[in-house]
Amino acid sequence: MSGPFADLGRILMVGCGNMGGAMLRRWLDQGLDPAQVTVISPSGRAVPGGVAVINAYDPAAVGTVSTLLLAMKPQQLSAVHAAGLASVRAELLVSILAGVDSATLSSLWPGATVIRAMPNLPVAIGKGVVALHSPAEIDDRARRVAAWMQPLGLVEWIESEGLFDLVTALAGSGPSFTYRFIEALAAAGTALGLPSDQSARLATATVEGAGLLAAEAAETPAVLADQVASPGGSTRAGLNVLDNDAALVSLLTRTLQASENRNREMAAAARA
Ligand SMILES: NC(=O)C1=CN([C@@H]2O[C@H](COP(=O)(O)OP(=O)(O)OC[C@H]3O[C@@H](n4cnc5c(N)ncnc54)[C@H](O)[C@@H]3O)[C@@H](O)[C@H]2O)C=CC1
Ligand SMILES: O=C(O)[C@@H]1CCC=N1
């Protein structure tokens, strides 16, 4: 096999819910051989086709693992480790757990190369973000992880682990905040008189188009905003509400701060 999935060897994926499932589906769409993966999923929730699923770790069923991918909740880390996974000697340990720091992961799986990955939900369509952090120098193993994540969307290395909780808030949680914005735009339209289904369609398509243009255009979002807002026109009247006392920036700063703080709390709980 060649491409982004070469050299990963056997992958053991722990948990395959909303986020892990989205990643796995995209990888399979992009050519990952389902026979390369085993999923541990006590919930019994279906995983993408052809991938072996087991309820609990069974060394005989799994065989030699090269890559261990942690995709359950941070709160499940110690239970997962205690339930036999401590004995897995993978060369690569990739964790998408919010908060949980690389020192905690290294202490649980000494000897493995630890990489933290923070994906977001649009990886399902190859338009996600995957932030990566390596506590050690970025070597060939780390580059292998980056290549593996490439089919999911934009891959960015975050040098300082101290910024990872903030990156998690901005990019990992960001789609959720954006969906709230779409809902709020639609709800505002409805409150002012539009039929709710029509307002929802208009809000979703507007955010889709604006996002795609922002991603493709040479201009910054600030310039694009000005291109919509004619001087003295109606958009400017609306922007004045968002910009007054930096209302939107202030709201989003508090939003990211709350998420970042919660990531820190989850990291502390995982260290305990
Ligand atoms: N949902 C999102 O958009 C993002 C989530 N994450 C991270 O991804 C991880 C998973 O989150 P979601 O997929 O949203 O949660 P989820 O609840 O949808 O999935 C968690 C999965 O773990 C499984 N699980 C529970 N206990 C287990 C155990 N002992 N052994 C193996 N599997 C077990 C559950 O059956 C479930 O399938 C979390 O650590 C979260 O911080 C990171 C970025 C974005
Ligand atoms: O809500 C959470 O804890 C995770 C972190 C990023 C997205 N979901």
Side-chain angles (χ1 to χ4, degrees), residues 98 118 168 172-173 263 266:
M118 189 45 57
T168 298
S173 306
N263 289 325
M266 291 192 290

Side-chain angles (χ1 to χ4, degrees), residues 1-8 147-148:
M1 194 197 307
S2 62
F5 312 117
D7 305 326
L8 291 167
W148 181 25

Side-chain angles (χ1 to χ4, degrees), residues 256-270:
L256 295 193
Q257 184 80 75
S259 285
E260 183 189 24
N261 290 346
R262 181 63 192 135
N263 289 325
R264 295 219 167 109
E265 286 170 5
M266 291 192 290

Side-chain angles (χ1 to χ4, degrees), residues 134-150:
S134 168
E137 205 170 307
I138 295 170
D139 61 4
D140 279 350
R141 280 188 189 170
R143 276 187 279 274
R144 233 187 282 163
V145 175
W148 181 25
M149 301 297 160
Q150 213 70 58

Side-chain angles (χ1 to χ4, degrees), residues 131-167:
L132 295 175
H133 172 75
S134 168
E137 205 170 307
I138 295 170
D139 61 4
D140 279 350
R141 280 188 189 170
R143 276 187 279 274
R144 233 187 282 163
V145 175
W148 181 25
M149 301 297 160
Q150 213 70 58
L152 304 181
L154 173 72
V155 176
E156 292 255 348
W157 284 103
I158 307 300
E159 204 179 316
S160 162
E161 188 164 10
L163 291 175
F164 213 75
D165 289 335
L166 176 56
V167 169

